[in-house]
Amino acid sequence: MKTYHSYAKLNLNLYVGPPEVGGLHRLSSIFQTISLFDIITIKPTLSEHSVRFIGMDVPQSNTCTAVLNLLGVRLKTFWDVEIVKNIPDGAGLGGGSSNAATLILALNQLESLNLSMEEMVMIASQVGSDVPYFLYGGQSHVSGTGDKIIPNVSYIDVCDFILILPGIHCSTANVYAALDSMGQFDDVDSSDLGIIGHNRLFEPACNVAEDLALLFHRINTLYPNQVFMSGSGSTLFIPCWSTNEQINIKKVLDTNLGTTGVDLVLTNTVNSFH
């Protein structure tokens, strides 16, 4: 039996281009893994693969079952996979994608598959657009439709974050549909990757989830121009440049958001975890 940490990510910025053939959008984004993680325990079993989640209702067909199906006959052993969920769903933190990538890496090790990074990326890309990134982790420039990854970059130097988790599920498909109806896109080839916080999906996400917009405006009143959104939402975050700043801002938010049901999580960057 082996246990692995499956880390969340933040989009420190996110530029999105217009839809292309097939409806997909090109993007340009700085991804950063952070210290919020799910716990994946993997052990051999006798008869068939099994995947179960603790702390969250997840569909029977999910990113991890997709990995097991794709690896298929390469696997010599049946595996029991248990995932304790700490990363919320529909929050723009990439929990499901991270779980899938961590499982690919784990099975490559446990089964001695000797898959190259290129082979693992090919498998990951069939599971979801963010999954290949999580094979690398750290700070990376992700572009194309999520398929172009330049790992180990350092465009943005920030270590600590306050995550604001409102418990609002933002459907990525609905947010992109709202973006398309607005018709407002970025020139992804001219994106300024050194600027933290730009997120083309923020306005459409607020249109899809009005409670998210209300929460943002409430926090932005306290910390103007310091509150940003990850991915397609609903996670908001405030970057901090010291632990003391992080703690002090959390105290203020605790006082002002204490009865709203919003969870506040202190987290920091993770740049090497495999």
Side-chain angles (χ1 to χ4, degrees):
M1 180 175 72
K2 292 206 68 171
T3 297
Y4 301 83
H5 289 175
S6 175
Y7 291 93
K9 61 84 176 167
L10 289 175
N11 296 89
L12 300 185
N13 50 46
L14 178 56
Y15 298 83
V16 182
E20 301 189 342
V21 176
L24 294 176
H25 298 73
R26 290 176 61 219
L27 59 88
S28 181
S29 178
I30 296 299
F31 282 39
Q32 173 69 61
T33 39
I34 55 174
S35 57
L36 176 65
F37 58 85
D38 294 338
I39 302 170
I40 302 183
T41 301
I42 306 173
K43 60 185 179 182
T45 188
L46 293 177
S47 57
E48 61 182 1
H49 299 305
S50 63
V51 179
R52 63 184 182 280
F53 294 84
I54 310 298
M56 183 182 295
D57 290 330
V58 176
Q60 189 170 0
S61 294
N62 52 71
T63 59
C64 289
T65 58
V67 168
L68 291 167
N69 290 335
L70 286 166
L71 289 176
V73 295
R74 301 186 197 216
L75 301 178
K76 300 178 287 293
T77 303
F78 291 114
W79 296 99
D80 175 76
V81 181
E82 179 186 274
I83 304 172
V84 178
K85 292 295 293 182
N86 299 306
I87 305 170
D89 184 38
L93 296 174
S97 297
S98 176
N99 295 164
T102 303
L103 184 57
I104 292 170
L105 290 163
L107 292 174
N108 191 44
Q109 175 193 60
L110 293 169
E111 290 259 10
S112 300
L113 298 177
N114 296 316
L115 296 172
S116 67
M117 180 60 80
E118 290 74 19
E119 289 172 309
M120 288 191 288
V121 165
M122 187 175 299
I123 293 165
S125 65
Q126 297 176 67
V127 180
S129 59
D130 285 350
V131 180
Y133 157 72
F134 282 102
L135 295 171
Y136 298 95
Q139 190 172 126
S140 299
H141 176 211
V142 179
S143 60
T145 56
D147 58 321
K148 295 181 176 63
I149 303 161
I150 303 175
N152 303 316
V153 299
S154 55
Y155 282 95
I156 297 173
D157 182 19
V158 61
C159 291
D160 301 309
F161 305 92
I162 298 171
L163 304 186
I164 302 152
L165 307 176
I168 299 168
H169 184 282
C170 280
S171 162
T172 300
N174 290 347
V175 172
Y176 271 97
L179 173 68
D180 290 345
S181 68
M182 292 168 60
Q184 298 175 6
F185 305 104
D186 296 308
D187 179 355
V188 295
D189 295 319
S190 301
S191 53
D192 189 341
L193 298 174
I195 294 180
I196 192 167
H198 172 87
N199 188 335
R200 178 55 61 189
L201 298 180
F202 172 69
E203 190 175 346
C206 287
N207 290 343
V208 168
E210 292 183 2
D211 287 347
L212 178 62
L214 293 172
L215 176 64
F216 169 80
H217 289 301
R218 185 171 180 175
I219 301 171
N220 193 59
T221 300
L222 298 168
Y223 295 100
N225 303 314
Q226 297 179 60
V227 188
F228 310 113
M229 187 184 81
S230 181
S232 56
S234 61
T235 297
L236 302 176
F237 68 92
I238 298 176
C240 303
W241 277 263
S242 73
T243 303
N244 284 340
E245 180 188 17
Q246 190 184 37
I247 292 169
N248 290 334
I249 291 175
K250 183 178 184 295
K251 288 179 181 176
V252 174
L253 294 179
D254 277 331
T255 300
N256 285 272
L257 302 176
T259 61
T260 60
V262 172
D263 288 331
L264 303 175
V265 177
L266 302 185
T267 187
N268 53 275
T269 58
V270 174
N271 288 318
S272 179
F273 53 88
H274 299 313

